[in-house]
Amino acid sequence: MTRPLIQPQVLVTPDVDRDRPSGSDRIDVHRPKVSGGSGSGNGGNIQKVALPPLPAPNPGPGPEFPAELFDAPHVPDEVIVFLSRDLTDNDVNSLASDYGLNPVESTMIELTGQRLQRMTITNGRDVAEVTGDIASDPRVISAQPNLLYRMRNPKPIDGSPGQNDQNENAPDPGDGSKEDPTLPDKTPGNKAEAPPLPQRPNAIEPEPAIAESHSNPAASDKTDTKYNVASGAPPSNGAATTDELQYALSKISAPAANHLASGRDTLVAVIDTGIEETHPELEGAVADRFDAIGDRKGAKPDHGTAIAGIVSAHKTVRGVAPDARLLDVRAFYVDEKSKEVEASSFILAKSVDWAFTQGARIFNMSFTGPHDPTLEELTTEGYKKGAIFIAAAGNDGPKAAPAYPAAYRSVIAITATDQADRIYADANRGSYITAAAPGVDILVLAPEQSMNFLSGTSMAAAHASGLAALLYQRNPAISPDRIRSILSRTAHDLGPEGYDEEYGAGRIDAAAALQEATRSSRSD
């Protein structure tokens, strides 16, 4: 019997002073200076403690915000604010009333030790104006729009190689990460050659033969290729076996690596559309689940199921870490008006924090979106506490701006390659990319106990998350920096010699990475 999804604790508070005239008893404050233009607007149990009287709103100038923050898609008429966890419900209501806001949902973020509050604007004011005003209030730690992450359908094949992953959106340009000496520098550097791999009897060394219909994986769309796996039957055309269709495993030497580790006793958080947990290939894989979207209509769990299978499928289809356990975090919903598949800053913050408190130290984030101060702060705090964040590099082509969360300094960014080690044509490029993994025409699990072929950097990131689970099993004390270093040092150099902005350090090698981790742990 499938365990019900955990519902987040939500604090709903009344609209205080509903009948008070707009603007009465308010102290006007200055809106923020927005660089590049003014921009355009479009739970948890609370610990109550006695506090001294709160100061009135500060009439001084507010903080500066990048213009992109308000140009990016965001929830209309909403702001989210970080507050001290010591504020009472009455304190929050008073703060909201001062700025014409209605507090509708609250959650405690354990990673930061703060309360995150979502508020709606009740008086029609501009999101940028309200954000600046409330951010200048001494009761507020930080404020921002509730940014949106929107998934989109695959674009039609137009004769050029490559196919957009069906569930990733175009990132909005940002102004880069804030400098933090505790975070890794994403400046390109040289890497060492991967050590020679041992010959293992069960390793798949030769390139597998791919079915004729898949002979040019970089120029094909396989999202409509399905077959039922309830009986473990491969495609009926007889052109290739399931093992042969999973070329990615041999490409990254996963069979050899599985002689050293299988992901046992590791928790991987899949923050996505949700997972079809009844899929026979995932039997027993999901350790726990969290529904971060509340009462919204959930998106179809196709993308999340695909990611889950790449990490830890363990029957007809094999994941990179077949014994890893998964945290199924449903973070994407279908908007009732636009019909867009979306997540928001608030939802993703809840998702990351819940998974961390449940013990996950590996996070697969196969989605992209705008530069988001809230998600950046949470990944930074998680990174400092040992969390390994792996994200898709983005599918918007060579000239696209950096994609987030992949471009945060606390995150390992993975790009995609095909069976011939060619870069995925739609993949982003940039100095933020750590390494590459197979991501074109990947055999993935799909809803209704079926399989599909999908392409995109989402699939590549999932392969790297599986490898991170293997490394974590070998050394549960391994740091995010050590994971990044091992992935880079043992990668197979592709493209120009050394590091480059297409492939990063090169294609990951699971067996070499496990050997490197084993050698280094013995020498410590």
Side-chain angles (χ1 to χ4, degrees):
M1 180 175 181
T2 303
R3 181 178 171 183
L5 292 166
I6 298 173
Q7 294 290 337
Q9 292 181 312
V10 175
L11 172 68
V12 179
T13 52
D15 186 0
V16 178
D17 294 337
R18 185 189 308 270
D19 298 324
R20 186 171 63 179
S22 175
S24 64
D25 299 325
R26 279 190 74 244
I27 299 178
D28 290 333
V29 295
H30 298 294
R31 62 178 299 167
K33 299 176 183 178
V34 180
S35 59
S38 61
S40 60
N42 247 31
N45 294 323
I46 310 303
Q47 179 184 0
K48 298 185 177 182
V49 298
L51 292 175
L54 293 170
N58 181 6
E64 291 191 7
F65 295 98
E68 292 84 359
L69 186 65
F70 301 102
D71 292 339
H74 54 272
V75 180
D77 303 322
E78 278 196 10
V79 295
I80 58 174
V81 295
F82 272 112
L83 305 168
S84 168
R85 67 185 306 150
D86 294 333
L87 290 186
T88 66
D89 294 351
N90 286 338
D91 296 332
V92 174
N93 290 336
S94 177
L95 173 70
S97 177
D98 286 340
Y99 295 97
L101 302 174
N102 183 38
V104 293
E105 187 176 2
S106 175
T107 186
M108 289 300 179
I109 301 297
E110 298 302 326
L111 273 168
T112 62
Q114 297 166 356
R115 171 175 179 157
L116 184 60
Q117 182 77 50
R118 181 167 70 93
M119 301 186 183
T120 57
I121 301 171
T122 61
N123 56 11
R125 296 173 69 210
D126 180 80
V127 171
E129 182 181 5
V130 173
T131 301
D133 284 358
I134 197 169
S136 68
D137 192 292
R139 293 169 288 184
V140 173
I141 297 170
S142 65
Q144 68 169 74
N146 195 11
L147 299 173
L148 287 172
Y149 296 71
R150 285 174 175 159
M151 293 185 174
R152 65 184 184 190
N153 293 324
K155 68 181 183 183
I157 298 175
D158 58 6
S160 60
Q163 174 70 26
N164 263 11
D165 174 17
Q166 67 172 349
N167 281 315
E168 293 188 12
N169 66 305
D172 286 272
D175 62 348
S177 302
K178 296 179 180 178
E179 290 299 319
D180 186 334
T182 66
L183 297 178
D185 185 355
K186 287 204 170 186
T187 303
N190 295 327
K191 63 172 175 45
E193 291 292 329
L197 299 179
Q199 296 297 315
R200 294 205 177 258
N202 293 330
I204 302 175
E205 295 298 334
E207 284 271 293
I210 301 298
E212 183 178 356
S213 62
H214 309 150
S215 59
N216 185 7
S220 57
D221 172 21
K222 297 297 174 288
T223 58
D224 59 352
T225 305
K226 288 187 178 183
Y227 59 92
N228 187 279
V229 296
S231 62
S236 59
N237 60 16
T241 67
T242 306
D243 285 344
E244 288 172 329
L245 291 173
Q246 286 196 273
Y247 78 88
L249 294 180
S250 60
K251 268 289 180 187
I252 66 169
S253 68
N258 288 152
H259 286 273
L260 298 174
S262 61
R264 187 180 66 252
D265 300 325
T266 64
L267 269 180
V268 180
V270 178
I271 301 175
D272 215 290
T273 61
I275 300 170
E276 186 183 86
E277 298 180 21
T278 57
H279 201 295
E281 300 291 312
L282 294 172
E283 183 178 357
V286 175
D288 210 341
R289 60 204 55 80
F290 178 60
D291 188 350
I293 67 174
D295 59 0
R296 301 173 182 87
K297 179 183 178 181
K300 184 179 179 182
D302 49 357
H303 194 266
T305 302
I307 299 304
I310 292 171
V311 175
S312 64
H314 47 260
K315 290 193 175 180
T316 305
V317 174
R318 298 288 290 179
V320 178
D323 290 333
R325 304 296 303 283
L326 305 176
L327 293 180
D328 175 9
V329 184
R330 186 167 69 165
F332 284 84
Y333 62 92
V334 179
D335 183 76
E336 293 182 0
K337 294 181 180 178
S338 68
K339 307 303 179 185
E340 296 269 13
V341 176
E342 299 176 340
S344 69
S345 302
F346 190 88
I347 288 172
L348 291 174
K350 289 192 298 183
S351 298
V352 170
D353 193 65
W354 177 85
F356 187 86
T357 60
Q358 299 307 304
R361 290 301 176 266
I362 300 164
F363 293 72
N364 188 92
M365 300 191 294
S366 286
F367 54 83
T368 61
H371 184 243
D372 185 338
T374 291
L375 193 57
E376 181 178 20
E377 181 174 2
L378 263 64
T379 55
T380 298
E381 290 302 314
Y383 163 88
K384 292 176 180 177
K385 295 175 182 177
I388 301 153
F389 294 99
I390 297 176
N395 299 331
D396 291 281
K399 297 182 180 180
Y404 298 97
Y408 299 138
R409 296 171 67 201
S410 55
V411 176
I412 296 172
I414 302 295
T415 192
T417 53
D418 67 10
Q419 190 191 4
D421 284 335
R422 297 170 296 189
I423 194 71
Y424 179 49
D426 286 344
N428 289 31
R429 274 64 158 173
S431 61
Y432 67 94
I433 293 170
T434 304
V440 177
D441 270 357
I442 302 300
L443 181 66
V444 300
L445 305 184
E448 301 176 6
Q449 302 187 4
S450 62
M451 296 182 189
N452 277 356
F453 288 90
L454 289 179
S455 295
T457 57
S458 280
M459 282 68 248
H463 284 96
S465 293
L467 174 50
L470 302 183
L471 293 169
Y472 191 84
Q473 179 191 339
R474 295 291 288 180
N475 179 13
I478 195 167
S479 69
D481 280 343
R482 186 66 181 138
I483 293 278
R484 186 193 303 270
S485 173
I486 289 175
L487 293 184
S488 298
R489 290 177 57 189
T490 60
H492 287 276
D493 198 0
L494 302 174
E497 184 177 355
Y499 182 94
D500 62 81
E501 294 190 357
E502 286 192 345
Y503 296 93
R507 171 174 36 84
I508 61 172
D509 186 317
L514 264 290
Q515 292 164 15
E516 173 72 14
T518 301
R519 281 196 297 267
S520 61
S521 63
R522 288 173 179 170
S523 63
D524 290 342

